[in-house]
Amino acid sequence: MTDLSAFPITQKWPAQHPERLQLYSLPTPNGVKVSILLEETGLPYEPHLVSFETQDQMSPAFLSLNPNNKIPAILDPQGPGGKPLALFESGAILVYLAEKTGRFMPQDAAGRYETLQWLMFQMGGIGPMFGQLGFFNKFAGKDYEDKRPRDRYVAESRRLLGVLDQRLTGRNWIMGDDYTIADIATFPWVRNLIGFYEAGSLVGIQDFPQVTRALEAFVARPAVMRGLGIPKRG
Ligand SMILES: N[C@@H](CCC(=O)N[C@@H](CS)C(=O)NCC(=O)O)C(=O)O
């Protein structure tokens, strides 16, 4: 019987199935990257809801696993060498799960680095820039009189969408015919930009037809449909 009691996070979120991978998350664009990949792989896992309403991400139990107080985070009882592995940062988790399962990442070295390149493009560009645009368009920042900060993030988001659109021209997915963790990292953010952040017309999404075409294919995948709702909000 697997014992995860050495990890304080399991006191607040007890593992009903300690032999399964434990996911601590919320269905946000960063959170669903991991639930979508888990659904795609079919790995058995147990999702736990980290509620922002009750500031769960600030609790000592959560901070014991991720001192950066952000979802998603995982605890894999079957980590490297058969020992439990705790991990935070969605990009690191995607790489770990792709390597663990041997899926959604090209096997050849060059293809692997290229996939990591586009994953980093999402982690360092699309995520942070779209996130700031969300703040200035939908949340507290929308009331700021000075529109220059918002416009800066609109311009940068448009530039990033242009890079992505060009990459997708003549390719089904970011890596071509292969659907990879680069797609799983990127499209939840595009979906969020147009949907939850209500910034589709602001960034002129119609100017990026390859991006919207690939987004449609992404959200039509059954594993994506399921992953977008995991963990279920309370
Ligand atoms: N770079 C991190 C970012 C994670 C992140 O920003 N998570 C947000 C939700 S999408 C969060 O947990 N926010 C809670 C907080 O800041 O208190 C990753 O990709 O895992």
Side-chain angles (χ1 to χ4, degrees):
M1 177 82 177
T2 316
D3 183 10
L4 295 177
S5 60
F7 294 88
I9 196 161
T10 62
Q11 288 158 19
K12 187 168 170 69
W13 289 276
Q16 303 298 321
H17 303 279
E19 73 288 357
R20 294 184 193 169
L21 188 144
Q22 306 289 304
L23 170 67
Y24 308 95
S25 192
L26 189 70
T28 69
N30 286 319
V32 298
K33 292 175 192 172
V34 178
S35 46
I36 288 171
L37 179 56
L38 285 165
E39 289 294 319
E40 294 278 12
T41 63
L43 267 182
Y45 70 102
E46 185 175 346
H48 301 279
L49 184 76
V50 178
S51 172
F52 292 169
E53 279 167 30
T54 45
Q55 293 280 296
D56 283 354
Q57 77 278 23
M58 297 296 188
S59 64
F62 188 80
L63 294 173
S64 72
L65 199 147
N66 183 359
N68 193 35
N69 63 266
K70 296 200 185 281
I71 60 96
I74 62 166
L75 176 54
D76 183 1
Q78 291 298 323
K83 295 197 186 117
L85 177 75
L87 215 52
F88 65 88
E89 279 295 327
S90 60
I93 298 170
L94 293 186
V95 173
Y96 170 66
L97 292 175
E99 289 185 345
K100 180 183 169 90
T101 58
R103 299 186 63 198
F104 306 110
M105 176 92 104
Q107 296 295 320
D108 67 296
R112 182 174 175 278
Y113 288 122
E114 206 176 324
T115 306
L116 290 176
Q117 163 190 278
W118 286 102
L119 176 66
M120 299 299 162
F121 171 78
Q122 184 285 311
M123 293 296 294
I126 285 187
M129 294 304 132
F130 288 13
Q132 292 300 325
L133 179 49
F135 173 82
F136 284 103
N137 190 50
K138 171 125 186 206
F139 302 110
K142 76 176 187 321
D143 301 323
Y144 296 1
E145 242 173 69
D146 186 347
K147 295 299 171 202
R148 282 174 299 180
R150 186 200 70 175
D151 292 347
R152 175 183 161 80
Y153 292 113
V154 171
E156 183 58 3
S157 299
R158 267 187 69 81
R159 192 188 66 77
L160 290 164
L161 285 165
V163 173
L164 185 60
D165 204 69
Q166 197 177 24
R167 172 69 187 183
L168 287 164
T169 302
R171 289 185 179 87
N172 285 334
W173 301 106
I174 291 173
M175 286 302 294
D177 288 338
D178 291 342
Y179 167 74
T180 68
I181 54 172
D183 302 294
I184 294 175
T186 302
F187 290 109
W189 273 101
V190 179
R191 175 180 175 268
N192 206 63
L193 182 76
I194 302 171
F196 189 54
Y197 290 166
E198 299 168 5
S201 56
L202 194 59
V203 297
I205 195 69
Q206 69 284 351
D207 298 338
F208 309 103
Q210 303 305 323
V211 173
T212 48
R213 181 258 308 155
L215 173 64
E216 271 173 39
F218 179 73
V219 297
R221 293 179 70 91
V224 172
M225 288 185 207
R226 293 194 301 275
L228 285 170
I230 299 173
K232 209 167 174 318
R233 286 180 190 268

